Amino acid sequence: MLNPLAEEDVQAEHDDPALLFTAAYNSYAGPVFGYLRARGVDDPEAVTQDVFLALYPKLESLSGGLRGAKTLLFTIAHARMVDFYRKRERTPVAAAFEPELDPRRAPSAEDQAFGRASGLGVTGLLEDLALEYREVLALRVVADLSVEETAAIMGKSQGAVKQLQRRALGALKKRALLRNGTP
């Protein structure tokens, strides 16, 4: 009985790049993955796929059949691994913001503009609105849905949604002006 790899080797020697690619993938996908994983690449599966994608366009000019493909595959894999480490070195370390460790005690400009510093923020203004007003604002402004989509969700006509939105924004504006002391 013949060795299946030897049969693929014989087929791969022919001019058909698809057969060579299939033989190379079947023979070397596991070893390329193992090499990348052993070298500490974060996502060795994705990089393995990138390596084979980089191999495919080069198959027509490749000589040496399956052995030539193996050499080229591991050359590409090594280059991808080096690229991974170079990128990692250049990427700054991200640190999570922990508000309880922040020594600043002055409220931010956003907090002052939206009234969050006083404890009555936008959510406080919205809580005072009627349920339908809150719903239409949440769907139209926050979720950025169209009038048609909002009407379908709320079970109302498009005209009713437009009217509800106009009234909700008017009520919201009135509450914001009253809160800021403007009549």
Coordinates of all heavy atoms in Angstrom, one line a residue, residues 91-152:
T91 N 2.9 48.4 20.6 CA 1.6 48.7 21.2 C 1.7 49.1 22.6 O 2.2 48.3 23.4 CB 0.6 47.5 21.0 OG1 0.6 47.1 19.6 CG2 -0.8 47.8 21.5
P92 N 1.2 50.2 23.0 CA 1.3 50.6 24.4 C 0.4 49.7 25.3 O -0.6 49.2 24.8 CB 0.8 52.0 24.4 CG 0.0 52.2 23.2 CD 0.5 51.2 22.2
V93 N 0.8 49.5 26.5 CA 0.1 48.7 27.4 C -1.2 49.5 27.9 O -1.1 50.7 28.3 CB 0.9 48.3 28.7 CG1 0.1 47.5 29.7 CG2 2.1 47.6 28.2
A94 N -2.3 48.9 27.7 CA -3.6 49.6 28.1 C -3.8 49.3 29.6 O -3.8 48.2 30.0 CB -4.7 49.1 27.3
A95 N -4.2 50.4 30.3 CA -4.5 50.3 31.7 C -6.0 50.7 31.9 O -6.4 51.7 31.3 CB -3.6 51.2 32.5
A96 N -6.7 49.9 32.6 CA -8.1 50.2 32.9 C -8.2 51.4 33.8 O -7.4 51.5 34.7 CB -8.8 49.0 33.5
F97 N -9.2 52.2 33.5 CA -9.5 53.4 34.4 C -10.3 52.9 35.6 O -11.3 52.3 35.4 CB -10.2 54.5 33.6 CG -10.6 55.6 34.5 CD1 -9.7 56.5 34.9 CD2 -11.9 55.8 34.8 CE1 -10.0 57.6 35.7 CE2 -12.3 56.9 35.6 CZ -11.3 57.8 36.1
E98 N -9.8 53.3 36.7 CA -10.5 52.9 38.0 C -10.8 54.2 38.7 O -10.0 54.9 39.3 CB -9.6 52.0 38.8 CG -9.3 50.7 38.2 CD -8.4 49.8 39.0 OE1 -8.3 50.0 40.2 OE2 -7.7 49.0 38.4
P99 N -12.1 54.7 38.6 CA -12.5 56.0 39.1 C -12.2 56.1 40.6 O -11.8 57.2 41.1 CB -14.0 56.1 38.9 CG -14.4 54.8 38.2 CD -13.2 53.9 38.0
E100 N -12.2 55.1 41.4 CA -12.0 55.2 42.8 C -10.5 55.5 43.1 O -10.2 56.0 44.2 CB -12.4 53.9 43.6 CG -11.7 52.7 43.2 CD -12.3 52.0 42.0 OE1 -13.3 52.4 41.5 OE2 -11.8 50.9 41.6
L101 N -9.6 55.3 42.2 CA -8.2 55.6 42.4 C -7.8 56.9 41.8 O -6.7 57.3 42.0 CB -7.3 54.5 41.7 CG -7.5 53.1 42.3 CD1 -6.7 52.1 41.5 CD2 -7.2 53.0 43.8
D102 N -8.8 57.6 41.2 CA -8.5 58.9 40.5 C -8.5 60.0 41.6 O -9.5 60.2 42.3 CB -9.6 59.2 39.5 CG -9.2 60.4 38.7 OD1 -8.2 61.1 38.9 OD2 -10.0 60.7 37.7
P103 N -7.4 60.7 41.8 CA -7.3 61.7 42.9 C -8.1 63.0 42.6 O -8.3 63.8 43.5 CB -5.8 61.9 43.1 CG -5.3 61.6 41.7 CD -6.1 60.5 41.2
R104 N -8.5 63.2 41.4 CA -9.2 64.4 41.0 C -10.6 64.4 41.6 O -11.3 63.4 41.6 CB -9.2 64.6 39.5 CG -7.9 64.7 38.9 CD -8.0 64.7 37.4 NE -8.5 63.4 37.0 CZ -8.7 63.0 35.7 NH1 -8.5 63.9 34.8 NH2 -9.1 61.9 35.4
R105 N -10.9 65.6 42.1 CA -12.3 65.6 42.8 C -13.2 66.7 42.1 O -14.3 66.8 42.5 CB -12.1 66.0 44.3 CG -11.4 64.9 45.0 CD -12.3 63.6 45.0 NE -11.5 62.5 45.5 CZ -11.4 61.3 45.0 NH1 -12.0 61.1 43.9 NH2 -10.7 60.4 45.5
A106 N -12.7 67.4 41.1 CA -13.5 68.4 40.4 C -14.4 67.6 39.4 O -13.9 66.7 38.8 CB -12.7 69.4 39.8
P107 N -15.6 68.0 39.2 CA -16.5 67.3 38.2 C -16.0 67.6 36.8 O -15.4 68.7 36.6 CB -17.9 67.9 38.5 CG -17.7 69.2 39.2 CD -16.4 69.0 40.0
S108 N -16.2 66.7 35.9 CA -15.8 66.9 34.5 C -16.7 67.9 33.9 O -17.8 68.2 34.3 CB -15.8 65.6 33.8 OG -17.1 65.2 33.6
A109 N -16.3 68.4 32.7 CA -17.1 69.3 32.0 C -18.4 68.7 31.5 O -19.5 69.3 31.5 CB -16.3 69.8 30.7
E110 N -18.3 67.4 31.2 CA -19.5 66.6 30.8 C -20.5 66.5 31.9 O -21.7 66.7 31.7 CB -19.1 65.2 30.3 CG -18.4 65.2 29.0 CD -16.9 65.4 29.2 OE1 -16.4 65.5 30.3 OE2 -16.1 65.4 28.2
D111 N -20.0 66.2 33.1 CA -20.9 66.1 34.3 C -21.5 67.5 34.5 O -22.7 67.5 34.8 CB -20.1 65.7 35.5 CG -19.7 64.3 35.5 OD1 -20.3 63.5 34.7 OD2 -18.7 63.9 36.2
Q112 N -20.8 68.6 34.4 CA -21.4 69.9 34.7 C -22.4 70.2 33.6 O -23.5 70.7 33.9 CB -20.3 70.9 34.7 CG -19.5 70.8 36.0 CD -18.4 71.9 36.0 OE1 -18.0 72.4 34.9 NE2 -17.9 72.1 37.2
A113 N -22.1 69.9 32.3 CA -23.0 70.3 31.2 C -24.3 69.5 31.3 O -25.4 70.0 31.0 CB -22.4 70.0 29.9
F114 N -24.3 68.2 31.7 CA -25.5 67.4 31.8 C -26.1 67.4 33.2 O -27.0 66.6 33.4 CB -25.2 66.0 31.3 CG -24.9 65.9 29.8 CD1 -23.7 65.5 29.4 CD2 -25.9 66.3 28.9 CE1 -23.4 65.4 28.0 CE2 -25.6 66.2 27.6 CZ -24.4 65.8 27.1
G115 N -25.5 68.1 34.1 CA -26.1 68.2 35.4 C -25.8 66.9 36.3 O -26.5 66.7 37.3
R116 N -24.9 66.1 35.9 CA -24.6 64.9 36.7 C -23.9 65.2 38.0 O -24.0 64.4 38.9 CB -23.8 63.9 35.9 CG -24.6 63.3 34.7 CD -23.8 62.2 34.1 NE -22.7 62.8 33.3 CZ -22.3 62.4 32.1 NH1 -23.0 61.5 31.5 NH2 -21.3 62.9 31.6
A117 N -23.2 66.3 38.1 CA -22.5 66.7 39.3 C -23.5 66.9 40.4 O -23.2 66.7 41.6 CB -21.7 67.9 39.0
S118 N -24.7 67.4 40.1 CA -25.7 67.7 41.1 C -26.5 66.5 41.5 O -27.4 66.5 42.3 CB -26.6 68.8 40.7 OG -27.3 68.5 39.6
G119 N -26.3 65.4 40.7 CA -27.1 64.2 41.0 C -28.3 64.1 40.2 O -29.0 63.1 40.2
L120 N -28.7 65.1 39.4 CA -29.8 65.1 38.6 C -29.4 65.2 37.1 O -29.3 66.2 36.5 CB -30.8 66.3 38.9 CG -31.4 66.4 40.2 CD1 -32.2 67.6 40.4 CD2 -32.4 65.2 40.4
G121 N -29.1 64.0 36.6 CA -28.6 64.0 35.2 C -29.7 63.9 34.2 O -30.9 64.0 34.5
V122 N -29.3 63.5 33.0 CA -30.3 63.3 31.9 C -31.2 62.2 32.3 O -32.4 62.3 32.0 CB -29.5 63.0 30.6 CG1 -30.5 62.7 29.5 CG2 -28.7 64.2 30.2
T123 N -30.7 61.2 33.0 CA -31.6 60.1 33.3 C -32.7 60.6 34.3 O -33.8 60.1 34.3 CB -30.8 58.9 34.0 OG1 -30.0 59.4 35.0 CG2 -29.9 58.2 32.9
G124 N -32.3 61.5 35.2 CA -33.3 62.1 36.1 C -34.4 62.8 35.3 O -35.6 62.8 35.7
L125 N -34.0 63.5 34.3 CA -35.0 64.2 33.4 C -35.9 63.3 32.7 O -37.1 63.5 32.6 CB -34.3 65.1 32.4 CG -33.6 66.4 32.9 CD1 -32.8 67.1 31.8 CD2 -34.6 67.4 33.5
L126 N -35.3 62.2 32.2 CA -36.1 61.2 31.5 C -37.0 60.4 32.4 O -38.1 60.1 31.9 CB -35.1 60.2 30.8 CG -34.3 60.7 29.6 CD1 -33.4 59.7 29.1 CD2 -35.2 61.2 28.5
E127 N -36.7 60.2 33.6 CA -37.6 59.5 34.5 C -38.8 60.2 34.8 O -39.9 59.6 35.1 CB -36.8 59.2 35.9 CG -35.8 58.2 35.8 CD -35.0 58.0 37.0 OE1 -35.3 58.7 38.0 OE2 -34.1 57.1 37.0
D128 N -38.8 61.6 34.7 CA -40.0 62.4 34.9 C -41.0 62.3 33.7 O -42.1 62.8 33.8 CB -39.7 63.8 35.2 CG -38.9 64.0 36.5 OD1 -39.0 63.1 37.3 OD2 -38.2 65.0 36.7
L129 N -40.5 61.9 32.5 CA -41.3 61.9 31.3 C -42.3 60.7 31.4 O -42.1 59.7 32.1 CB -40.5 61.7 30.1 CG -39.6 62.9 29.7 CD1 -38.8 62.6 28.5 CD2 -40.4 64.2 29.5
A130 N -43.4 60.8 30.6 CA -44.3 59.7 30.5 C -43.7 58.5 29.8 O -42.7 58.7 29.1 CB -45.5 60.2 29.6
L131 N -44.2 57.3 30.1 CA -43.6 56.1 29.6 C -43.5 56.1 28.1 O -42.4 55.7 27.5 CB -44.4 54.9 30.1 CG -43.9 53.5 29.7 CD1 -42.5 53.3 30.3 CD2 -44.9 52.5 30.1
E132 N -44.5 56.5 27.4 CA -44.4 56.6 25.9 C -43.4 57.5 25.4 O -42.7 57.3 24.4 CB -45.8 56.9 25.3 CG -46.8 55.8 25.3 CD -48.0 56.1 24.5 OE1 -48.4 57.3 24.5 OE2 -48.6 55.2 23.9
Y133 N -43.2 58.7 26.1 CA -42.2 59.6 25.7 C -40.8 59.0 25.9 O -39.9 59.2 25.0 CB -42.3 60.9 26.5 CG -43.5 61.8 26.2 CD1 -43.7 62.9 27.0 CD2 -44.4 61.5 25.2 CE1 -44.8 63.8 26.7 CE2 -45.5 62.3 25.0 CZ -45.6 63.5 25.7 OH -46.7 64.3 25.5
R134 N -40.6 58.4 27.0 CA -39.3 57.7 27.2 C -39.0 56.6 26.2 O -37.9 56.5 25.6 CB -39.2 57.1 28.6 CG -39.0 58.1 29.7 CD -38.8 57.4 31.0 NE -40.1 57.1 31.5 CZ -40.4 56.3 32.5 NH1 -39.4 55.7 33.2 NH2 -41.6 56.1 32.9
E135 N -40.0 55.9 25.8 CA -39.9 54.8 24.9 C -39.5 55.4 23.5 O -38.6 54.9 22.8 CB -41.2 54.0 24.8 CG -41.1 52.8 23.8 CD -40.2 51.7 24.3 OE1 -39.9 51.7 25.5 OE2 -39.9 50.8 23.5
V136 N -40.3 56.4 23.0 CA -40.0 56.9 21.7 C -38.6 57.6 21.6 O -37.9 57.4 20.6 CB -41.1 57.9 21.3 CG1 -41.0 59.3 21.9 CG2 -41.1 58.0 19.7
L137 N -38.2 58.2 22.7 CA -36.8 58.8 22.7 C -35.8 57.8 22.7 O -34.7 57.9 22.1 CB -36.7 59.8 23.9 CG -37.4 61.1 23.8 CD1 -37.3 61.9 25.1 CD2 -37.0 61.9 22.6
A138 N -36.0 56.7 23.5 CA -35.0 55.6 23.5 C -34.9 55.0 22.2 O -33.8 54.7 21.7 CB -35.4 54.6 24.6
L139 N -36.0 54.7 21.5 CA -35.9 54.1 20.2 C -35.4 55.0 19.1 O -34.6 54.6 18.3 CB -37.3 53.6 19.8 CG -37.8 52.4 20.6 CD1 -39.3 52.1 20.3 CD2 -37.0 51.2 20.4
R140 N -35.9 56.2 19.1 CA -35.5 57.2 18.0 C -34.1 57.8 18.2 O -33.3 57.8 17.3 CB -36.5 58.3 17.9 CG -37.8 57.9 17.4 CD -37.9 57.6 15.9 NE -37.6 58.9 15.2 CZ -36.8 59.0 14.2 NH1 -36.1 58.0 13.7 NH2 -36.6 60.2 13.6
V141 N -33.8 58.2 19.4 CA -32.5 58.9 19.7 C -31.4 58.0 20.1 O -30.3 58.0 19.5 CB -32.7 60.0 20.7 CG1 -31.4 60.7 21.0 CG2 -33.8 61.0 20.2
V142 N -31.7 57.1 21.1 CA -30.6 56.3 21.6 C -30.3 55.1 20.6 O -29.2 54.9 20.3 CB -31.0 55.8 23.0 CG1 -29.9 54.8 23.5 CG2 -31.1 56.9 24.0
A143 N -31.4 54.4 20.2 CA -31.2 53.2 19.3 C -31.0 53.6 17.9 O -30.7 52.8 17.1 CB -32.4 52.3 19.5
D144 N -31.3 54.9 17.6 CA -31.2 55.5 16.2 C -32.0 54.7 15.2 O -31.5 54.4 14.1 CB -29.7 55.5 15.8 CG -29.4 56.4 14.6 OD1 -30.2 57.3 14.4 OD2 -28.5 56.1 13.8
L145 N -33.2 54.4 15.6 CA -34.1 53.7 14.7 C -34.9 54.7 13.8 O -35.1 55.8 14.2 CB -35.1 52.8 15.4 CG -34.5 51.6 16.2 CD1 -35.6 50.8 17.0 CD2 -33.7 50.7 15.3
S146 N -35.4 54.3 12.7 CA -36.2 55.1 11.8 C -37.6 55.3 12.4 O -38.0 54.5 13.3 CB -36.2 54.6 10.4 OG -37.0 53.4 10.4
V147 N -38.3 56.2 11.8 CA -39.7 56.4 12.3 C -40.5 55.1 12.0 O -41.3 54.7 12.8 CB -40.3 57.6 11.5 CG1 -41.8 57.7 11.8 CG2 -39.6 58.9 11.9
E148 N -40.3 54.5 10.8 CA -41.0 53.3 10.4 C -40.7 52.2 11.4 O -41.6 51.5 11.8 CB -40.6 52.9 9.0 CG -41.0 53.8 7.9 CD -40.0 55.0 7.7 OE1 -38.8 54.9 8.2 OE2 -40.4 56.0 7.2
E149 N -39.4 52.0 11.7 CA -39.0 50.9 12.7 C -39.6 51.1 14.1 O -40.1 50.2 14.7 CB -37.5 50.8 12.8 CG -36.9 50.3 11.5 CD -35.4 50.5 11.5 OE1 -34.9 51.5 12.1 OE2 -34.7 49.7 10.8
T150 N -39.6 52.4 14.5 CA -40.1 52.7 15.8 C -41.6 52.5 15.9 O -42.2 52.0 16.8 CB -39.8 54.2 16.2 OG1 -38.4 54.4 16.1 CG2 -40.3 54.6 17.5
A151 N -42.3 52.9 14.8 CA -43.8 52.7 14.7 C -44.1 51.2 14.8 O -45.0 50.8 15.5 CB -44.3 53.3 13.4
A152 N -43.3 50.4 14.1 CA -43.6 48.9 14.1 C -43.4 48.4 15.5 O -44.2 47.5 16.0 CB -42.7 48.2 13.1

